[in-house]
Amino acid sequence: MTEFDRIYKRGMADVARWYRAALAAQVRNELEDAAEAWERYEDALGRVLTLSAMAGKARAHATAKAQGADWKPQEWPDEMPDRFDAVGASFEPGTFWEALRVFKNRVPRSWWEVRRVRRQMMRLARRVAQGERGRALRDLTKRLEALQQVVDGSFRVKGASRAQAERLKSLIAEAIETSGMPKGLKTGGLSRFIRRAQVEGIIGLTSSRMETVYRTNMASAYNEATANTMDSAAVASWAPLLRLVEIHDSRTRGAPNGVYRGKGESKNPGHHWEMDGYIATAADFKRQGLVPPNGFNCRGSLMPVSRDEAQSMGLLSRAGTVDRAALARYNARRQQIIDRGLYPDPGFKR
């Protein structure tokens, strides 16, 4: 694992930490603590999103550079800018700066472009944090009756004393915050009011929601940055096309005998398995709304196709431009899935 990978992992851990802390504070009805935790979640998420976007840009530029494109980075400061001095989550500004500096020799953009990317990612993080702050607990309580009863205090109707109800609320908040079964659940007669399976359900759905939000936005930042970089003339001349890569395993939608196979269904819902390998220009991916993720928990990604590879596949004309007829033949079956409105997943919105 590289130093960048360690920093990135550290940032992801902070995203999870503050998400759980914010939800737990909301369960306890500690509104000031919840507000602070959501702010720290936003800060940590914005930093990881920034690194994801820069990694997407770096991959696209690396493919073009390998084909012969020549450039040098411009106007990167040697010292950490003052704008990163603000105190944030434990993913310290100085650590974040070191991670950004990894891209100094990998992305041929001036420092103003990096700051622009960061501003975009912080705006995205703010939208995500505000949305989760208003919806997450509400949506979870709709799916989990036990959590709803803890939040609105209706356990008292079932015979719990005020002290027992408050203790139970505290333990549920602890379960959310630590993602573990609280030790005090079986004491004080609390097991009469909530079963272990209910607490496990609260933990599981919290983790599932957090992962879905995380994966959707990380993938979006990475792949949008890749597509935007590939859409520039300087890169497109060296890497003219993008390939959609969908992981082939049992969790992929449409996988033969995969885990999404429903009872009574002849095949798995979704077409992610079949869409693996679809190739188009960056502009076509964006025009058709195909930049991953293309469904909740979609693990698809965009890979640059170099000029040499596109030429060997017969997808370029003799003049070196994209051969639209050849590309249509290559994508024929996959394009039909798109045109029928079956990919991205119907109803999916980022």
Side-chain angles (χ1 to χ4, degrees):
M1 181 181 290
T2 66
E3 182 62 25
F4 175 80
D5 290 333
R6 283 191 286 271
I7 294 172
Y8 192 85
K9 185 176 181 180
R10 184 175 174 182
M12 290 190 294
D14 263 2
V15 170
R17 169 192 173 191
W18 292 113
Y19 187 92
R20 292 186 180 281
L23 275 181
Q26 285 184 318
V27 169
R28 297 187 186 104
N29 201 32
E30 297 171 345
L31 301 185
E32 290 186 5
D33 289 345
E36 181 181 356
W38 281 122
E39 288 178 4
R40 289 183 177 261
Y41 167 75
E42 176 186 321
D43 180 68
L45 181 62
R47 295 179 189 212
V48 176
L49 284 170
T50 300
L51 297 182
S52 295
M54 293 301 293
K57 285 182 172 291
R59 170 185 277 187
H61 285 303
T63 301
K65 190 172 184 178
Q67 290 286 291
D70 185 26
W71 50 58
K72 295 180 180 179
Q74 307 170 16
E75 302 173 13
W76 279 69
D78 293 326
E79 300 295 331
M80 182 177 69
D82 292 341
R83 69 181 64 247
F84 292 147
D85 286 344
V87 176
S90 56
F91 185 32
E92 295 93 347
T95 303
F96 175 57
W97 168 240
E98 288 304 314
L100 273 181
R101 280 181 60 83
V102 169
F103 298 104
K104 179 175 181 178
N105 296 314
R106 297 169 60 193
V107 177
R109 289 290 185 270
S110 60
W111 180 242
W112 70 264
E113 169 70 7
V114 179
R115 289 183 295 176
R116 185 185 66 81
V117 169
R118 183 170 185 255
R119 286 194 296 269
Q120 289 179 331
M121 294 303 103
M122 291 305 297
R123 285 195 295 268
L124 174 57
R126 186 170 299 112
R127 289 198 301 271
V128 172
Q130 289 175 346
E132 288 301 287
R133 181 176 179 174
R135 293 192 305 265
L137 185 59
R138 182 191 64 200
D139 291 351
L140 289 171
T141 55
K142 285 181 179 179
R143 298 183 62 184
L144 292 160
E145 181 183 359
L147 181 58
Q148 177 65 59
Q149 292 171 337
V150 168
V151 171
D152 66 18
S154 59
F155 267 98
R156 294 189 61 194
V157 178
K158 303 176 78 174
S161 67
R162 179 182 295 274
Q164 286 173 321
E166 287 302 312
R167 176 61 174 154
L168 189 57
K169 179 184 289 189
S170 177
L171 289 172
I172 295 301
E174 180 185 337
I176 291 173
E177 192 161 17
T178 65
S179 189
M181 188 64 63
K183 294 180 180 179
L185 186 63
K186 298 300 181 182
T187 63
L190 296 181
S191 58
R192 289 182 296 160
F193 306 111
I194 190 166
R195 300 188 306 275
R196 180 184 183 91
Q198 291 174 315
V199 180
E200 290 174 343
I202 292 170
I203 295 170
L205 277 181
T206 299
S207 299
S208 177
R209 183 185 181 95
M210 181 182 68
E211 284 294 321
T212 297
V213 172
Y214 165 76
R215 286 180 180 174
T216 299
N217 288 287
M218 293 303 123
S220 179
Y222 182 89
N223 289 306
E224 285 283 358
T226 299
N228 289 338
T229 303
M230 293 284 293
D231 206 18
S232 68
V235 175
S237 61
W238 300 97
L241 297 166
L242 280 167
R243 176 186 285 110
L244 175 65
V245 177
E246 290 277 9
I247 297 172
H248 273 200
D249 62 21
S250 64
R251 293 188 294 137
T252 303
R253 292 168 178 82
N257 300 314
V259 298
Y260 284 96
R261 187 186 182 96
K263 293 182 179 180
E265 294 178 339
S266 60
K267 61 181 180 180
N268 298 331
H271 297 270
H272 292 239
W273 180 285
E274 298 170 84
M275 285 302 300
D276 179 51
Y278 180 81
I279 293 178
T281 65
D284 286 342
F285 268 99
K286 291 192 288 186
R287 176 180 56 81
Q288 298 180 96
L290 298 177
V291 177
N294 289 310
F296 290 111
N297 282 326
C298 171
R299 295 170 293 159
S301 62
L302 296 180
M303 295 284 290
V305 177
S306 70
R307 181 182 55 190
D308 288 348
E309 182 180 4
Q311 191 75 60
S312 68
M313 294 177 68
L315 301 179
L316 299 184
S317 67
R318 291 184 178 180
T321 59
V322 174
D323 187 329
R324 288 288 178 176
L327 196 59
R329 289 192 297 271
Y330 174 84
N331 284 325
R333 179 172 52 82
R334 300 181 183 94
Q335 190 64 53
Q336 289 177 1
I337 294 173
I338 298 169
D339 294 342
R340 288 162 58 196
L342 300 177
Y343 185 91
D345 292 347
F348 169 72
K349 293 182 179 180
R350 294 181 187 174

